[in-house]
Amino acid sequence: MNRTLTVLLAILLLSSCREGDDIAPAFYTCGFTFSDSSAENENNSKYQNLIDELVSNGVVGMTMSVYQPQSGIWIGGSGKADLNNNIHMKPCNISRVGSTVKMFTATTVLMLAQEGKLELDDPIADYLQADVINRIDNADKATIKQLLQHSSGIFNYIQNLKFQTASLNDLIKEWTPDELLSYAEGKRAYFKPGTDVRYSNTGYILLGMLIEQIEGKPFYEVFDEKIFRPLNLSMTQFAAKNPVPDGIVRGYIDLYSKLQVVESTYFSGWDYFTADGGLISNPKDLNTFFQALMGHKLLNAEYLDQMLTWKSPKEPDPEFFPIAYGLGIFRIETPSGIAYMHSGDAIGYYANMLYFPDDSTSIAYAANSNYGKIDEFVSTKDATEHIISALKD
């Protein structure tokens, strides 16, 4: 998926890292609102052994949730939530889950369409102010559906080297949507709308603005009303409400690719107020959301079918599975079968959630460390294939 460019690691060498805070264990206390029977799950040992293995390889901490119709839900944790204070990871602990929020953004837009408040083939320009639309190439032509499917061709602001430099020079800066959009301004679109697919965070900033325009309130409040509260996702929130909330596990990066991590909890403030990232959650809540979505509890059959309408890129990524783009969701072809998925990362955090339509298995996991050698265990194609095969086969 869309990853922060490797220049990040080099520039971070020049950045000052905040020392680990002294935090009492009670800060990380959490629990579920149901009776967790994971220890009795027939696959308990297999699942726990996997995350223990990943931690032994160098991942700082890991949480995971697996649902299979025949064996029910399993939730587990391994490693450390906080190295400085020697706090063990709990299955319920929350962390940043990055771009997985795009599936929530897309679901919310589709729910608005389902309610008759918009048409997916409407141009986004019909809803947003001209001073936003006129700044960005293709924004005057792209439809809502094309933004959802990353087929708008709109330039991805994160790829602007000036943005990368500015953000890395101030890693705790909290960026506004307008500031981020300015880095897509004047940049030529990748292609004409609808002719190809290419990941664009810029498009999802515009979709967040669309939600706000229609509902008259911040998009993350609409998430609360339409998704978080109805599904009882009590451990899920958006960073705009509190960028570093109580209970969030510390994040770490393998800065030198030597499995010698430095803390990065307070880094990465560019998605705190935009719908392209900024979600805070845990694998249990992500799993609940994915199962509800696929079970028509949020979208009816018509709109779920539209979400699962696929378009493949003209130039496949040779370093990842064969992939096709849906509306805020991806379909990948793995040795274990077709999976729907969305991953996400922030500086020091990685998350992934997958659903296998052949048997309704869903998997969600989160790590509080990334980059360097750690990516080899959590986010590459080989890492993803290893995790899937260990859990599903």
Side-chain angles (χ1 to χ4, degrees), residues 26 37 66 83-84 111-112 210 216 223 227 231 273 309 337 380:
S37 59
V66 183
L83 289 173
N84 185 59
M111 292 176 80
L112 294 175
L210 168 69
F223 291 172
I227 302 175
L231 296 182
F273 301 98
T309 300
T380 63

Side-chain angles (χ1 to χ4, degrees), residues 189-264:
Y190 299 123
F191 45 79
K192 293 181 180 179
T195 61
D196 201 354
V197 284
R198 182 164 173 170
Y199 197 89
S200 176
N201 287 278
T202 310
Y204 273 74
I205 293 181
L206 299 179
L207 289 168
M209 291 178 166
L210 168 69
I211 295 169
E212 295 182 342
Q213 179 66 29
I214 291 175
E215 295 295 274
K217 63 187 71 174
F219 66 85
Y220 45 87
E221 291 185 7
V222 183
F223 291 172
D224 278 340
E225 294 173 4
K226 293 187 177 295
I227 302 175
F228 298 169
R229 291 204 296 268
L231 296 182
N232 193 29
L233 305 184
S234 60
M235 309 294 282
T236 300
Q237 58 188 292
F238 197 78
K241 290 191 170 184
N242 188 349
V244 189
D246 285 356
I248 191 169
V249 300
R250 306 296 92 176
Y252 301 91
I253 52 174
D254 181 18
L255 186 58
Y256 304 101
S257 292
K258 295 181 179 179
L259 298 179
Q260 298 173 351
V261 298
V262 295
E263 187 176 332
S264 60

Side-chain angles (χ1 to χ4, degrees), residues 27 51 54 76 97 131 201 223 234 236 243 290 298 318 341 356 373 378:
F27 178 85
I51 56 176
L54 297 175
V97 294
D131 63 345
N201 287 278
F223 291 172
S234 60
T236 300
F290 218 152
L298 297 170
M341 59 88 68
F356 292 83
K373 288 186 178 297
V378 297

Side-chain angles (χ1 to χ4, degrees), residues 45-108:
S45 295
K46 179 171 72 171
Y47 297 160
Q48 187 65 47
N49 287 343
L50 171 65
I51 56 176
D52 289 345
E53 171 207 328
L54 297 175
V55 167
S56 71
N57 287 337
V59 179
V60 174
M62 195 101 177
T63 51
M64 181 173 285
S65 173
V66 183
Y67 173 80
Q68 291 183 313
Q70 66 273 24
S71 56
I73 191 75
W74 178 88
I75 313 157
S78 186
K80 300 294 183 181
D82 181 334
L83 289 173
N84 185 59
N85 296 286
N86 194 30
I87 307 296
H88 294 293
M89 184 73 80
K90 300 178 181 65
C92 50
N93 283 145
I94 59 173
S95 67
R96 302 192 191 285
V97 294
S99 284
T100 61
V101 78
K102 291 184 174 69
M103 197 185 296
F104 291 77
T105 303
T107 299
T108 301

Side-chain angles (χ1 to χ4, degrees), residues 10 18 21 46 95 112 138 146 160-161 169 223 263 279 289 331 381:
R18 177 168 173 161
D21 297 323
K46 179 171 72 171
S95 67
L112 294 175
N138 273 12
Q146 288 166 345
N160 187 328
L161 293 178
N169 281 336
F223 291 172
E263 187 176 332
L279 192 66
F289 164 69
R331 184 190 69 195
K381 177 184 177 182

Side-chain angles (χ1 to χ4, degrees), residues 365-380:
Y365 52 95
N368 64 336
S369 49
N370 63 354
Y371 302 145
K373 288 186 178 297
I374 291 176
D375 282 356
E376 298 174 14
F377 309 121
V378 297
S379 61
T380 63

